[in-house]
Structure formats: C-alpha cells, structure tokens
Amino acid sequence: VQTCALPISVAEVIALDFREALRDPGLPLDVACRYYDILYGLYWCGAQRFTDMARFDSRAVIPFAEWLRRHYPPLPASRPLLQPGQPLRVGYLCTYAHLERGNAIAPLVRSIVVEHARRPDRYVFMYCVQWSSTDFVAGFAETGVTVRDLPQGDTYASLDGIVDAIRADGIDVLITDVGSAVATYAFSRRAAPVQMWIDMGYPFWSIGELDWRSEEHTSELQSRLHLV
C-alpha cells in the first residue's frame, strides 16, 4: 500500500506546480505537455482502483485542456463532415507504437486498425505520434493501412506536424488509444471533424473536444457515420 501511495503523493505535489505553471503566460507548450504526461504516469502507477484515476482528470486533464483552449484554440474546419456515399477516412493515433515487453496497448490497437481497414468503404490511417519502432510500423505492410510515422518522444517537437498531417489526409474520424498530451493537443486543435477515444483502462479524460468514447452508446452518431 505504501508503494502504491508514493506515486500519488508525488503526483499531488507536481500537480500543484503544474497548475501554478499554467498561470504563467510564457509557459512553453512542450513544458506543459511534459508536466501532463508525467502526471499521467504517476496517477496511473499509484492508482489502486479506477476511481483513484479521477484525480488525474481534475488535477491535470481539465486545467491543461482549458489552457490549450486559451492559447491554442481550434483551427477552422478543413473539410465538411462526411457526405453519404463517400468512403470514411479514419485516422488512429497510437502513442506507444512499439512492441516492447509490457506494452499491451499497441498489439490491440494494431489488430483493431487492421480489421477496420478490411472494410471496403474505409480509408484507414495510423499515426505513430510519440514513441515508435520499425517492427511495429513494418507490421502494417500489405494491410491497406497508410502509416504516418511521426515519433517525437518527450520533445513534443512534432505537435503541429501531426495536426497538419491529419488535416492534409482529410481524416473524417480521428481515434486515439490514450488521453496523452499529444492526443489532447490534437483534439484541442480539432484535427478532425469527429474525434473519438478507445478507453484502454484509464477512464478519465474530460475534454470538450471529445465527441465519442468507446464505453458510451451514441447510436445516432454511429449511424450517421456508418460505423455499425
């Protein structure tokens, strides 16, 4: 119990510093992102139950999302929402795009993306947006998935490049696997007309730019986009 409590205690201290830093008009974007992802990891490691993760939402997600809205508002729409009869262009953000031991998310995301690409009325894109490996990227060969490998680690140097690539590809629906700083930034900028989240077990990500999450049942939106 003491071991589990330590990351939470450290996170609470860092979260106070983060919220204070967000009041600084000169705070660099990469520093804000780094704060956010550190808190993401600490609250995840220290949680003993799902409800413990709600602290990450109130201490990091909501303040960061509000800060982004003030300093990096949504971009003008680059295209209208999908019209009936047109192939749906779906983009997936993958933060941990590697197959190293302990990464349970990437193989699951890969299987979802590959199966989605089998649909004849889909153009599917995979954006490897933070950490990636050549073997993970190579695994999409001959699957019909278009891969954009845009790794940046914890430098956050490719944030605008990721958003630009998504908009240039004409993505209708953007789906992220985790509520990372990169995903929060891309969604805040409204990189795509519809933005979704596959909840992989970190159930708190309260951003206003999120249109759908995997645990919700929004049949009207699903029907409109022919997702079911």
Side-chain angles (χ1 to χ4, degrees):
V1 174
Q2 291 179 342
T3 302
C4 292
L6 181 59
I8 294 292
S9 299
V10 174
E12 293 287 89
V13 173
I14 295 175
L16 287 173
D17 191 44
F18 180 41
R19 294 197 295 277
E20 183 63 30
L22 291 175
R23 297 189 182 98
D24 180 356
L27 179 67
L29 176 59
D30 65 307
V31 173
C33 289
R34 201 167 293 115
Y35 262 117
Y36 179 100
D37 280 341
I38 288 171
L39 290 170
Y40 184 104
L42 288 171
Y43 281 116
W44 168 262
C45 292
Q48 299 181 56
R49 59 188 67 85
F50 277 132
T51 52
D52 289 346
M53 300 177 196
R55 290 190 240 190
F56 170 67
D57 203 42
S58 62
R59 269 74 155 178
V61 175
I62 294 173
F64 184 52
E66 291 174 349
W67 181 82
L68 285 173
R69 251 174 247 120
R70 291 195 304 272
H71 297 279
Y72 302 91
L75 296 166
S78 60
R79 57 181 283 136
L81 190 58
L82 173 75
Q83 298 299 312
Q86 295 180 340
L88 190 68
R89 301 175 74 86
V90 182
Y92 286 84
L93 296 183
C94 188
T95 300
Y96 307 104
H98 60 78
L99 300 174
E100 294 179 11
R101 184 177 180 181
N103 183 9
I105 293 178
L108 176 59
V109 170
R110 182 190 179 282
S111 65
I112 292 172
V113 172
V114 170
E115 287 303 313
H116 204 170
R118 294 182 193 277
R119 291 283 299 268
D121 53 350
R122 298 288 185 274
Y123 294 145
V124 179
F125 296 75
M126 166 64 83
Y127 300 90
C128 305
V129 297
Q130 197 153 5
W131 288 277
S132 71
S133 64
T134 54
D135 55 340
F136 181 83
V137 172
F140 289 96
E142 300 182 5
T143 63
V145 178
T146 300
V147 180
R148 307 288 190 222
D149 192 18
L150 302 164
Q152 59 189 320
D154 60 0
T155 67
Y156 305 98
S158 301
L159 293 172
D160 288 329
I162 291 166
V163 173
D164 290 345
I166 293 165
R167 290 165 68 85
D169 287 333
I171 298 301
D172 295 301
V173 180
L174 183 62
I175 304 171
T176 187
D177 54 353
V178 297
S180 64
V182 175
T184 306
Y185 179 81
F187 279 37
S188 177
R189 299 293 272 163
R190 186 51 78 169
V194 176
Q195 300 181 146
M196 301 181 176
W197 172 36
I198 301 176
D199 183 352
M200 293 288 184
Y202 207 146
F204 299 97
W205 194 38
S206 298
I207 64 171
E209 297 78 16
L210 182 61
D211 302 309
W212 187 91
R213 60 189 290 176
S214 58
E215 66 184 37
E216 293 176 345
H217 302 283
T218 53
S219 58
E220 181 179 351
L221 179 61
Q222 288 180 319
S223 176
R224 184 178 180 187
L225 296 174
H226 316 294
L227 291 174
V228 294

